[in-house]
Amino acid sequence: MHDPVLDTLLRPFDDGLIDWPTTPALFLRARYGAALSSVERTRLICEQSFKPEHDRLEQAGFSLRAATDTARYPLVIVLPPRQREEYRALLARAVERAEPGGIVLACVSNLEGAKTVESDLKALCGNVTSLSKNKCRAFWATTDAINADQVSLWRTLDAPRPILDGRFQSRPGLFAWDRIDAGSERLVAHLPALSGHGADLGGGYGYLSDEVLRRYPEVRLDLYEAEQRAVELAELNLKAYGERIACRWHDVTKGIDGPYDFIVSNPPFHAGRADQPKLGQAFIRSAAAALKPGGSLYMVANRHLPYEAGLKAAFKSVSLLHEDRDYKVYRGIK
């Protein structure tokens, strides 16, 4: 698919403004697209904590590394995320991972605040060159004279920290990272008594799983989450439940294990600025396939999302457990 950010990111190489180094470059928050199809696989070592993008890169033949790797590179490429503390920490890490005199290259859509992110890279490195194309901005800096104090300050901006009076550990960049999401709260308030082996699809840092495990002591639960940064925190937040919980870094849209007695979910419904109801619809199909006959899906969704037809197609019966001006809570029985 056409990806204007990726297209613009590679433009400095096409225009001869940056040369590919003779050793691999590091690509932070990498993602695959048509623009990368012509790039030699040996030129990049990629890092991606979001499972669908991680898997696409792997299937395309790119090497992936763990976030704990501390090697340094002549060129570090980064696609900054939207959340400010998270992207500043990622920029600081990109500068740290670059060799002295190396290059840090980033690209951001104009709609996502490209000029602001460019200014932040300048604050770290003191020099920036940029070009604009496809309503995006690619910008790069050398690491000859970095602001070490600023790098050190920003490097910890997305570090895990206690939230909700210490009940959970979370970090910037995760969905509803510093609060209890209102949709999940609605779902918890309308759950019946649960028993057996269940799953939490899109479990985030673990709020919904914690509520289920705390309320129903006989329940065992598998938490599925596509963002590895969230899975690590869910494991920490739920470790007191021991063998009753298993946290899995997994793309739910590709199907899940089972069979389960019940499934709970507050599925994601957007990517970037755009609503993506197909994500929730894929969650519904995966849940239906993984439930035992007679098992139930309990799901909350923003009321404007078109999920009723998908639920009725996937389940024997569907009921509306709660409805208000913002949310609907459904039960689907297989």
Side-chain angles (χ1 to χ4, degrees):
M1 293 180 63
H2 176 60
D3 185 331
V5 174
L6 271 181
D7 293 346
T8 308
L9 177 73
L10 296 180
R11 192 62 184 262
F13 301 101
D14 297 335
D15 292 352
L17 301 173
I18 299 177
D19 294 324
W20 286 104
T22 57
T23 57
L26 174 64
F27 191 178
L28 300 177
R29 199 55 64 87
R31 65 175 182 256
Y32 185 70
L36 280 188
S37 62
S38 60
V39 174
E40 293 180 19
R41 299 319 190 238
T42 56
R43 281 181 166 168
L44 292 173
I45 295 175
C46 301
E47 179 188 307
Q48 176 56 261
S49 60
F50 186 57
K51 194 67 164 68
E53 296 292 354
H54 176 280
D55 290 350
R56 275 191 280 270
L57 287 161
E58 194 169 57
Q59 290 162 9
F62 287 96
S63 298
L64 286 110
R65 62 152 235 175
T68 54
D69 180 14
T70 58
R72 305 187 78 174
Y73 298 82
L75 169 65
V76 179
I77 303 170
V78 57
L79 292 178
R82 289 182 62 190
Q83 206 279 338
R84 190 178 191 186
E85 291 170 291
E86 184 188 10
Y87 86 63
R88 280 184 163 179
L90 194 64
L91 284 180
R93 188 153 65 86
V95 171
E96 286 183 330
R97 295 281 71 82
E99 295 174 352
I103 295 174
V104 174
L105 165 67
C107 188
V108 179
S109 164
N110 293 339
L111 292 175
E112 304 294 343
K115 287 188 176 181
T116 299
V117 185
E118 179 183 352
S119 295
D120 284 340
L121 180 60
K122 185 175 182 179
L124 296 175
C125 296
N127 63 89
V128 172
T129 304
S130 65
L131 65 80
S132 295
K133 191 74 175 178
N134 306 311
K135 297 182 180 180
C136 301
R137 196 171 185 88
F139 43 94
W140 59 98
T142 58
T143 58
D144 297 293
I146 65 171
N147 185 336
D149 290 338
Q150 196 71 52
V151 171
S152 179
L153 178 65
W154 284 5
R155 180 65 180 82
T156 59
L157 285 178
D158 75 334
R161 66 203 66 179
I163 63 168
L164 303 172
D165 296 324
R167 180 180 174 187
F168 299 107
Q169 291 282 320
S170 188
R171 66 191 308 177
L174 303 184
F175 172 69
W177 77 270
D178 59 351
R179 65 189 187 278
I180 296 172
D181 174 65
S184 295
E185 204 166 32
R186 300 289 204 293
L187 178 55
V188 166
H190 295 88
L191 287 175
L194 301 174
S195 60
H197 188 192
D200 175 4
L201 308 188
Y205 64 75
Y207 163 73
L208 187 53
S209 287
D210 182 70
E211 288 286 349
V212 170
L213 292 164
R214 181 171 57 84
R215 290 167 182 243
Y216 311 112
E218 302 304 316
V219 160
R220 292 182 297 117
L221 205 61
D222 294 339
L223 180 150
Y224 291 86
E225 169 57 49
E227 177 52 60
Q228 191 174 41
R229 297 166 72 249
V231 174
E232 293 167 356
L233 291 170
E235 290 175 336
L236 178 64
N237 291 327
L238 302 172
K239 67 179 181 179
Y241 296 106
E243 295 183 355
R244 293 177 59 205
I245 181 71
C247 298
R248 303 186 179 191
W249 184 39
H250 186 79
D251 179 3
V252 168
T253 68
K254 303 302 183 185
I256 61 172
D257 294 335
Y260 292 109
D261 297 295
F262 68 89
I263 292 174
V264 297
S265 185
N266 180 3
F269 66 91
H270 56 80
R273 292 175 178 266
D275 278 7
Q276 295 285 344
K278 289 183 178 180
L279 288 173
Q281 291 162 356
F283 272 49
I284 290 168
R285 292 191 295 271
S286 291
L291 283 165
K292 295 177 180 178
S296 294
L297 166 67
Y298 300 94
M299 188 184 86
V300 64
N302 290 56
R303 64 171 294 122
H304 73 278
L305 295 171
Y307 289 154
E308 281 87 351
L311 284 163
K312 290 177 180 178
F315 290 91
K316 180 179 179 180
S317 67
V318 177
S319 56
L320 187 62
L321 301 183
H322 170 75
E323 179 178 12
D324 57 39
R325 68 178 186 176
D326 298 315
Y327 297 97
K328 292 182 178 182
V329 178
Y330 301 98
R331 180 187 185 185
I333 301 176
K334 183 170 179 176

